[in-house]
Every structure is written in structure tokens, then in C-alpha cells.
Amino acid sequence: MAEFDVIVIGGGPGGYVCAIRCAQLGLKTACVEGRETLGGTCLNVGCIPSKALLNATHHLHEVHENFEKMGLMGGAPTVDWDKMQAYKADVISGNTKGIEFLFKKNKVTWLKGWGSIPAAGQVKVGEEVHTAKAIVIASGSEPASLPGVTVDEEIVVTSTGALALKAIPKSVVVIGAGVIGLEMGSVYARLGAEVTVVEYLDAITPGMDGEVAKSFQKILSKQGLKFVLGAAVQGTEVAEGKATVTYKLRKDDSTHTITADTVLVATGRKPFTAGLGLDALGVALEPRGQITIDSHFATSIPGIYAIGDAVVGPMLAHKAEDEGMAVAEVIAGKHGHVNYDVIPGVIYTTPEVANVGKTEEQLKAEGRAYKVGKFSFMGNARAKAVFQGEGFVKLLADKETDRILGCHIIGPGAGDLIHEVCVAMEFGASAQDLALTCHAHPTYSEAVREAALACGDGAIHA
Ligand SMILES: Cc1cc2nc3c(=O)[nH]c(=O)nc-3n(C[C@H](O)[C@H](O)[C@H](O)COP(=O)(O)OP(=O)(O)OC[C@H]3O[C@@H](n4cnc5c(N)ncnc54)[C@H](O)[C@@H]3O)c2cc1C
């Protein structure tokens, strides 16, 4: 048994960042993690492995689509799936070991095992009960399932199974056109699989700016992904090594089936709080299972806090990290804060898609007067040089004050470009502030400046 100032339960991006920040603020800190490695969903079965596979297959796509145009002859390489998986495993272990190193460097104790909270101020790991002045629950999330769909992680898989299939499937059905489904759908389409995405709603990427979503769907369709929208999946059946998905089209209630080697269920994630003992403690939960917190990340039980995917909000690693830092500061008596109005979202397909702030649909619904500055990557020399002229930057600003309200980008490097807008929004900048900022040429970021110019007297290269 040991005594700590803070025990964090969960070593994902929320938990490990929180633990490191607590230690940096002088608090004696432990982090409980039940997995063999630190880093949570993100490093082990989420952000990082998916980006490794997206990176490898992006290069393959480039060879097929663009190498010959640039005079790079010699044909496409063959794919060694086992080697690609080994590359992915190396990327994961390099990153998870990095967190272990950071724990040692910052003197965070890793309590290995699954933790529970027998009482406020106590955390039980195995047979040991440790005490802490503050406990932070950062237990993350797990894939959500659908009625009628039985996941076996071989043929009918969640994202975890999809990242580690034994062989490249010839056909894949993705249920759910959200970020994870489209990223993994892209991976397998680039590897030659016939990919069909079945989505309940009438558009892909729910919640995204409508114009971007439409353009994104068009581009992905050109890359070979097929879409069945407005389709309610009724269930799956596995026979002879394949799965058949039955769905009903919402427009006419007609029933259809589609059979594939692999079915990826990518219909979202749900908070993972099993085994923590929250019921017995009486910790208040939201109707959808997230832990209820106040504006200081405090749960209904004094001394117990919660962050990340286990609480309400976008299920994103950087949102979890920001909450991890903020709650550490709250516990240390400082003023931790997360600005939920400026949390970027990125889809790491080619082209990338990124957004921050309000969508046009949200501004319309709010009845807010706004203006739109739009600039196509066709007018960006650098994008054209890498065959990525498709897509655009769309900047939304207040009609009266010119203050930036949101930005939506589909195009090369969108996931990095979005951050200049995030910084601008944090400083309460106007579109003119961005437009007056010198941007190096030739960079993709010039497209952001041009969109800002388009909010004023007009873009130059449009
Ligand atoms: C395929 C995929 C791709 C993704 N890509 C991105 C992306 O590109 N960008 C992005 O921002 N987000 C992405 N996400 C989402 C991101 O992974 C999560 O939002 C993020 O990991 C949440 O962090 P967390 O710390 O709240 O929880 P988690 O990362 O889920 O970590 C929680 C940890 O707590 C541990 N744990 C739980 N209960 C206990 C217990 N009782 N005792 C001990 N340990 C416990 C778990 O083992 C786990 O390791 C992706 C997710 C998936 C599945």
C-alpha cells in the first residue's frame, strides 16, 4: 500500500498527460493501467496504428496514381501485409515505450493492473489498496455495438480487429461513415479491397460542414469507395468465412443485403467504466453512460474527477489530453481550463479533412449573421504540384465584427493547416488579421490566407 497525492486510472492520452502534469506540478502521482503498455486506445489500437496504415497505403496510392506523371517509372511495389503489420507494431511500441520513459523522467509511478475505487480516496489494484487525496478517472472508451451484429474480431470486426486483419480482404463493408470508418475504409480501398460504406444518415461524417461532407464523399467515391446512405443496418450473419449485412433503406423501407470478407462496425464508441465500482460509490452518470462532471472535472463524489472519452464531449485524443492538463492544474490549486469552442477535428484520409468552430449549418440555426471566405486549392500552386488541387478552405466570420467563427478545410495538409485558425480563434482574431499575416510561398497555408482575403475584398488567386 502506498500513499499518493493523485492516482490517475487509465494510461491513455487523458490519463498519462494528466499524470505527467500532476508530477510536474509537484504532486506525488501514480497512474493505473491494465493493458500491457501505456498510451491507451490512442497509441495501442486507435490514432497511431491507424495513421501508420494510412501512411503506408497513402504511399501505395501515390505510386499507383501519380508516380508515372512525375516520370517515376518501374511499376507499383507488391504489398507484404505481414511487414506492414510489423511496421505498425514498431510505430506502436516506439510510442508506448516513449510514455514509459516520460513516466520515469517525471517520477510517475505506473501501477500495473486494473484499478477500482472501493471508497473515495482509495484505489485498489490487484490485492493492494493505495490511498490518494485526489483520484482522476481516465478509463476511456470501447467500441459501441449494434443490435443484431455480433462482433467476432475476425470477420465482423471493430476498429481494433480492422487494424490487425490476418490478410487483406477482397471486400469490406463499413457500417458507419464517421471518421474511423472512412479512415479504415480508405486503407483497405488503397490495398485493393472493394469497400462499401453503409450509413444510416443521408450524408457522410455527421456533424461536419455540409459542403465539405459532399465534396469529401465525391472525392472518396472517385477513389473507389461506394456509399449506401440512408440505410438502417438490421444485422449481420456469418457463413463460410464471409459476412452478410442486411439493411433497410429508410426512404422506401426496402430490404437489401451485401456480402463481404470483412465487416467493420464503426458506429461510434461508448464510455468504458466497467469494474471501477462506480455504482457502489454512487457516482452520477449521464443517460448515455458518461461520468457526470462539473466545469472543474469533479464528479458527484468529492475528490474524484473524470476526463477524456469517459466524460461528455468529442471523443478525441487531444480533447482528453487538454482535460488531463486542466484537471491536474485544478487539483494543484491552479485554474485549469479547456476552451471547448476551439477543438479541431481531423480526418487523415487523402485529402485530409479538418475543422474547427462552427459549421455554416450551425450558424444558420443560431440565426447569426456571417460571411464565408472560400478558396479552392486549384488556386494554390503547391497543391497543384502534388496533384491535390481538389478541395478548399472555407472560413466563416461574423458579418459585423469579422471575428473568425469557424474553418473547414478539405485538402493537402488540412490537419496541420487548421491550427493557424485555432490560434487565431484563441486570440479572438478577425479574418482580416489572418489576411494581413504574411504566409510563405509556396505553401498550402497560403490557401488559408486566401480564404481570409475572400472574407474581405477578395482572394488574389481565385
Ligand atoms: C481506430 C481509432 C482511431 C482514432 N483516431 C484518432 C485520431 O486520429 N485523433 C484523435 O484525436 N482521436 C482518435 N481516436 C480517438 C482516441 O483514441 C480517443 O479519443 C482517446 O484515446 C481517448 O483518450 P482517453 O485517455 O480518454 O482514453 P483511452 O485512450 O481509451 O485510454 C483509457 C485507458 O484506461 C485503461 N483503463 C480503463 N479502465 C481501467 C481500469 N479500471 N484500471 C486500469 N486501467 C484502465 C484502458 O486500458 C486504456 O488504456 C481514435 C480511436 C480509434 C478507435
Side-chain angles (χ1 to χ4, degrees):
M1 173 175 161
E3 281 176 29
F4 294 93
D5 292 321
V6 184
I7 298 181
V8 183
I9 302 180
Y16 82 71
V17 167
C18 175
I20 291 172
R21 180 53 106 220
C22 284
Q24 287 172 339
L25 294 172
L27 301 167
K28 188 180 173 200
T29 307
C31 180
V32 190
E33 175 53 63
R35 271 179 216 272
E36 293 294 308
T37 50
L38 295 167
T41 303
C42 172
L43 267 57
N44 291 283
V45 289
C47 323
I48 299 307
S50 59
K51 265 80 257 179
L53 293 183
L54 279 159
N55 175 51
T57 56
H58 169 70
H59 290 300
L60 186 65
H61 174 83
E62 282 293 289
V63 173
H64 282 298
E65 297 297 316
N66 297 324
F67 267 34
E68 214 178 299
K69 292 182 208 161
M70 296 184 285
L72 298 171
M73 314 306 283
T78 54
V79 176
D80 184 329
W81 181 237
D82 291 340
K83 262 206 164 150
M84 199 180 280
Q85 286 287 326
Y87 149 70
K88 185 200 75 180
D90 275 354
V91 172
I92 294 172
S93 80
N95 280 287
T96 56
K97 283 195 187 115
I99 308 301
E100 238 179 289
F101 164 79
L102 291 175
F103 270 15
K104 281 190 190 129
K105 184 178 160 195
N106 288 284
K107 302 197 172 44
V108 174
T109 304
W110 176 7
L111 299 172
K112 296 184 185 179
W114 298 98
S116 60
I117 311 174
Q122 294 182 3
V123 174
K124 189 172 179 211
V125 185
E127 292 310 310
E128 306 244 301
V129 177
H130 308 275
T131 60
K133 292 180 195 124
I135 296 168
V136 179
I137 302 170
S139 54
S141 61
E142 60 182 343
S145 49
L146 268 184
V149 175
T150 307
V151 169
D152 57 26
E153 293 296 15
E154 299 241 334
I155 296 171
V156 181
V157 297
T158 65
S159 56
T160 303
L163 288 163
L165 292 179
K166 290 198 181 104
I168 300 169
K170 287 200 171 59
S171 51
V172 178
V173 171
V174 178
I175 305 176
V179 177
I180 294 174
L182 297 180
E183 286 186 352
M184 292 311 298
S186 279
V187 163
Y188 285 106
R190 292 168 186 172
L191 289 168
E194 189 172 301
V195 176
T196 307
V197 182
V198 182
E199 164 61 47
Y200 180 81
L201 297 173
D202 295 324
I204 67 169
T205 55
M208 184 186 278
D209 185 272
E211 213 178 343
V212 173
K214 256 195 204 142
S215 177
F216 188 31
Q217 190 186 334
K218 243 194 223 162
I219 293 172
L220 290 177
S221 299
K222 268 202 232 164
Q223 293 175 7
L225 276 83
K226 292 190 184 125
F227 291 93
V228 182
L229 302 180
V233 168
Q234 307 296 302
T236 53
E237 248 176 58
V238 173
E240 291 167 19
K242 286 181 184 279
T244 298
V245 178
T246 304
Y247 61 87
K248 266 190 181 181
L249 286 182
R250 291 196 296 126
K251 63 178 180 200
D252 57 11
D253 222 26
S254 57
T255 301
H256 305 259
T257 58
I258 178 167
T259 300
D261 294 336
T262 302
V263 172
L264 164 59
V265 188
T267 47
R269 296 178 63 80
K270 57 181 184 187
F272 176 67
T273 54
L276 286 168
L278 300 188
D279 271 1
L281 273 170
V283 173
L285 299 180
E286 299 292 318
R288 300 185 73 175
Q290 299 101 331
I291 300 170
T292 302
I293 50 167
D294 68 11
S295 58
H296 293 101
F297 313 100
T299 68
S300 56
I301 305 294
I304 303 181
Y305 301 81
I307 57 167
D309 278 9
V311 303
V312 169
M315 287 179 151
L316 293 169
H318 41 285
K319 177 260 192 187
E321 290 184 34
D322 279 21
E323 290 180 340
M325 275 195 279
V327 74
E329 300 197 352
V330 168
I331 291 168
K334 296 173 156 243
H335 298 283
H337 174 69
V338 175
N339 180 2
Y340 291 99
D341 290 336
V342 185
I343 295 194
V346 179
I347 309 179
Y348 298 84
T349 43
T350 302
E352 287 184 354
V353 182
N355 64 76
V356 65
K358 303 274 184 187
T359 62
E360 219 181 324
E361 289 76 13
Q362 282 172 326
L363 292 174
K364 272 187 192 142
E366 286 173 13
R368 184 143 186 192
Y370 65 93
K371 52 188 172 176
V372 182
K374 213 175 139 190
F375 185 77
S376 162
F377 277 101
M378 279 313 260
N380 180 275
R382 183 78 179 279
K384 276 203 294 214
V386 298
F387 313 106
Q388 287 209 51
E390 274 179 314
F392 53 87
V393 179
K394 176 173 172 182
L395 197 70
L396 302 168
D398 187 278
K399 194 160 189 176
E400 293 301 314
T401 65
D402 197 37
R403 188 179 176 138
I404 300 169
L405 302 173
C407 184
H408 306 275
I409 308 177
I410 175 163
D416 289 300
L417 295 183
I418 199 71
H419 294 98
E420 78 165 285
V421 183
C422 295
V423 174
M425 287 176 76
E426 283 289 353
F427 280 85
S430 64
Q432 193 186 29
D433 290 324
L434 269 191
L436 288 175
T437 304
C438 184
H439 285 62
H441 175 76
T443 57
Y444 305 136
S445 67
E446 287 174 287
V448 177
R449 183 196 199 176
E450 292 267 22
L453 281 164
C455 282
D457 293 332
I460 300 297
H461 296 89

